[in-house]
Amino acid sequence: MKLHGKHANSLADRDRITTLRTHHAFWHKADKRSITKIRGQGRCVVSPLISMAYYMGMDFGTSGARLTVIEDDGSTVFETKRAYAHAEQDWSSAWERLLWELLDSVPEKIRSEVVSVAFDGTSATSILVNQVDGKVLAPVKLYNEAQAEQAVQAVKAIAPASHTTSASTSTLCKLMAWHLEEVWQQAESHGMKPCLMHQADWLASLLHGSRSVSDWNNALKLGFDPETEAYPEWLNNQAFSHLLPSTVLAPGSPVAPLTAAAALRSGLPGSINGSSQPGCLVCAGTTDSIAAFVAAGVTEAGQAVTSLGSTLAIKMLSQTRVDDATYGVYSHRLGNSWLVGGASNTGGAVLRKFFADSELHSLTQKMDLSCPTGLDYYPLVKPGERFPINDPGLRPRLEPRPADNVVFLQGVLESMARIEGEAYKLLVQLGASPAVTEVLTAGGGAVNEMWTQLRAGAIGVPVSAAKHGDASYGAALLARQGWRSHCSAQTKKES
Ligand SMILES: Nc1ncnc2c1ncn2[C@@H]1O[C@H](COP(=O)(O)OP(=O)(O)O)[C@@H](O)[C@H]1O
Ligand SMILES: O=C(CO)[C@H](O)[C@H](O)COP(=O)(O)O
């Protein structure tokens, strides 16, 4: 069975989709409870039921971080968000600062009853850390930072042809760059124990204390194979293989309870000595676009989710796995199904370069979709594209710029819709199946109904905003899944 290459393999049968549907019911089980609403600094809904179990998701995206707390029936109890400063110099410090700020903003009544938490972060955002004390050993490499040709060629020399890790923005290319620059080797020569972590892994480690745990989705672009649930031999044979996370779990798996220090600092429940209850349990996370997919509650093969955040990330639920770095296409595993897709550098970050959110709203109202602009843009903030064109040198195309900003915005949105339509067609051409039947939208762009209409026309299927579009909601569902897994394991142990 050819796993990595243009030939899709028939991975799943109806059972796998059924499994996901079961999972879906598992994730989105709704049982009605009366609730009352009160106003708080976030949207705070407090159930009259006492000793509630709450589940917390934290999303560390491209422009900021969000926190969502849900109760068992999936209803949102509290949510809040914080933006990053405009020009963050030290990303790990910024993330840690926002982590504690977000946690401190949760009302104590709710925080004290959070039984599990999960994180999502931007995919392939990579950190080199001293496993001993958590010290960050080099500047963070962000999700969209293409690595130098020398590192890319070194990865291509060890990985199978068109493997996901051969994309210049992959986690493995970032680790290879640190390897070629001898960063980890120098740390070791000074008695440190360097290790590679992903953004979501590192944030979770601030709560549970382990620096060797990742998840199937974050580890994909490092080279982890979610089908075999192991690193391939060609990666295990490398001089830096001991830096890889040694434990890679399915998203939503229980990891470990909070450390006592984290419980004290965060106000989340600590484990009680001698009790089987772990206090707040940290669960394995995922990437931001997978968290948005989980939030959207997709269950049928052919359904898809587009995350219209700062970037444009698409995922379709496929019965076959497709991986082809030539086009920036890869497959994530969720439960027992494949999410085939990729992430483009076009998207909201380009819009934000030209328009404030309020302007986007007002200009959109003036657009006339019956008069296509004919403007053929490739909207990017800077040179470099990952998907559906995998070209680190692809230059932005945003000329000619009309004097009328309404026409300019319509041209940009028409062009982004064209790229999205081409992307979905490419996935099916490469073997994803069945063809796309419906697209749900997550992220900040989901509010734009005119853009939604343009996208439906370009993709050729119904497009709508997901009922739950925030990645932090998806991460909270994973935390709930992890708590339920923990409880059922406890029940089995005690029976
Ligand atoms: N009305 C709108 N139409 C289109 N895009 C919008 C609109 N309002 C906000 N956005 C875009 O949404 C993006 C933010 O979405 P969000 O999901 O928060 O991004 P991320 O999670 O990547 O930080 C911004 O880049 C902004 O341009
Ligand atoms: O664009 C991004 C940042 O928002 C990430 O690349 C996004 O997470 C998509 O990666 P993946 O498909 O691995 O989740």
Side-chain angles (χ1 to χ4, degrees):
M1 184 186 329
K2 200 172 172 201
L3 274 183
H4 295 291
K6 293 182 181 173
H7 305 295
N9 62 310
S10 59
L11 168 93
D13 51 27
R14 292 308 304 168
D15 291 349
R16 291 189 189 284
I17 300 302
T18 308
T19 304
L20 187 75
R21 189 177 294 117
T22 308
H23 273 228
H24 169 64
F26 182 78
W27 281 328
H28 288 261
K29 184 167 65 74
D31 57 345
K32 292 290 165 254
R33 282 201 182 109
S34 65
I35 54 175
T36 55
K37 291 180 187 293
I38 61 170
R39 290 261 162 257
Q41 68 271 38
R43 193 164 62 84
C44 187
V45 172
V46 179
S47 163
L49 300 176
I50 52 174
S51 71
M52 287 284 291
Y54 294 136
Y55 314 95
M56 182 184 282
M58 278 190 257
D59 162 46
F60 280 73
T62 312
S63 54
R66 289 172 189 76
L67 179 151
T68 296
V69 178
I70 63 172
E71 59 177 292
D72 202 58
D73 66 358
S75 54
T76 297
V77 173
F78 180 81
E79 56 189 4
T80 187
K81 63 181 180 182
R82 295 283 187 283
Y84 301 132
H86 282 295
E88 289 293 356
Q89 299 305 318
D90 176 353
W91 279 105
S92 56
S93 302
W95 297 329
E96 182 166 4
R97 184 179 71 248
L98 255 59
L99 170 66
W100 303 125
E101 272 183 30
L102 287 169
L103 287 170
D104 291 346
S105 73
V106 181
E108 195 281 332
K109 168 90 183 78
I110 293 172
R111 200 173 1 157
S112 62
E113 301 192 319
V114 170
V115 295
S116 59
V117 59
F119 291 85
D120 72 78
T122 49
S123 186
T125 292
S126 309
I127 313 173
L128 199 63
V129 176
N130 182 358
Q131 200 160 48
V132 175
D133 60 8
K135 183 173 178 293
V136 177
L137 302 175
V140 167
K141 290 182 184 279
L142 293 179
Y143 67 96
N144 60 350
E145 288 183 29
Q147 299 308 293
E149 192 55 21
Q150 189 190 10
V152 176
Q153 290 308 319
V155 168
K156 287 183 174 178
I158 60 173
S162 76
H163 190 275
T164 299
T165 53
S166 61
S168 60
T169 53
S170 77
T171 313
L172 188 57
C173 281
K174 290 159 186 168
L175 179 54
M176 185 62 82
W178 279 320
H179 174 70
L180 295 174
E181 294 155 12
E182 302 201 350
V183 177
W184 71 266
Q185 297 94 319
Q186 286 166 23
E188 258 185 11
S189 66
H190 289 95
M192 288 183 254
K193 200 180 171 198
C195 64
L196 182 284
M197 299 184 80
H198 306 91
Q199 178 192 22
D201 310 338
W202 182 79
L203 284 156
S205 74
L206 296 177
L207 295 185
H208 61 56
S210 169
R211 298 182 189 99
S212 59
V213 180
S214 189
D215 63 82
W216 290 352
N217 303 139
N218 274 294
L220 181 79
K221 296 174 182 176
L222 180 56
F224 179 80
D225 184 344
E227 172 115 24
T228 61
E229 299 181 24
Y231 294 111
E233 268 320 293
W234 57 265
L235 185 55
N236 280 328
N237 295 334
Q238 301 307 312
F240 50 71
S241 61
H242 60 294
L243 275 64
L244 307 182
S246 55
T247 304
V248 183
L249 301 171
S253 303
V255 175
L258 257 63
T259 63
L264 190 64
R265 171 63 188 82
S266 64
L268 294 169
S271 47
I272 302 156
N273 290 335
S275 154
S276 62
Q277 284 311 319
C280 182
L281 183 66
V282 186
C283 302
T286 185
T287 64
D288 54 357
S289 71
I290 302 270
F293 186 94
V294 171
V298 163
T299 56
E300 302 296 332
Q303 280 186 303
V305 176
T306 295
S307 292
L308 278 189
S310 301
T311 63
L312 187 155
I314 77 171
K315 300 252 173 303
M316 65 174 281
L317 189 56
S318 170
Q319 292 177 335
T320 48
R321 175 181 184 175
V322 178
D323 296 286
D324 192 337
T326 315
Y327 303 96
V329 174
Y330 45 83
S331 293
H332 276 292
R333 181 178 164 189
L334 190 65
N336 286 317
S337 293
W338 292 112
L339 309 185
V340 179
S344 164
N345 289 335
T346 196
V350 183
L351 297 173
R352 191 157 272 172
K353 181 178 171 183
F354 296 103
F355 307 108
D357 289 5
S358 53
E359 276 181 295
L360 284 172
H361 179 72
S362 58
L363 290 170
T364 298
Q365 306 312 313
K366 297 172 188 159
M367 284 172 25
D368 179 358
L369 301 191
S370 64
C371 294
T373 66
L375 292 166
D376 177 28
Y377 294 147
Y378 203 101
L380 295 171
V381 171
K382 59 183 182 180
E385 174 57 313
R386 298 177 287 170
F387 164 78
I389 300 170
N390 182 9
D391 177 359
L394 183 72
R395 304 197 61 76
R397 192 170 72 239
L398 284 158
E399 296 290 341
R401 175 163 180 178
D404 183 342
N405 268 342
V406 174
V407 176
F408 178 54
L409 174 61
Q410 183 169 331
V412 172
L413 297 181
E414 285 170 352
S415 301
M416 289 186 186
R418 183 197 76 244
I419 294 167
E420 186 182 357
E422 289 166 356
Y424 277 112
K425 287 186 182 74
L426 174 65
L427 299 184
V428 178
Q429 283 164 359
L430 291 177
S433 65
V436 181
T437 57
E438 177 191 15
V439 175
L440 295 177
T441 313
V447 303
N448 192 315
E449 287 168 13
M450 298 286 257
W451 192 2
T452 299
Q453 285 183 47
L454 288 170
R455 296 170 52 225
I459 304 168
V461 299
V463 177
S464 58
K467 177 173 179 258
H468 292 288
D470 282 340
S472 53
Y473 183 86
L477 291 177
L478 291 177
R480 186 181 68 176
Q481 178 194 325
W483 180 254
R484 289 175 174 173
S485 302
H486 162 77
C487 294
S488 58
Q490 284 295 101
T491 306
K492 285 196 185 91
K493 201 188 289 184
E494 289 156 7
S495 59

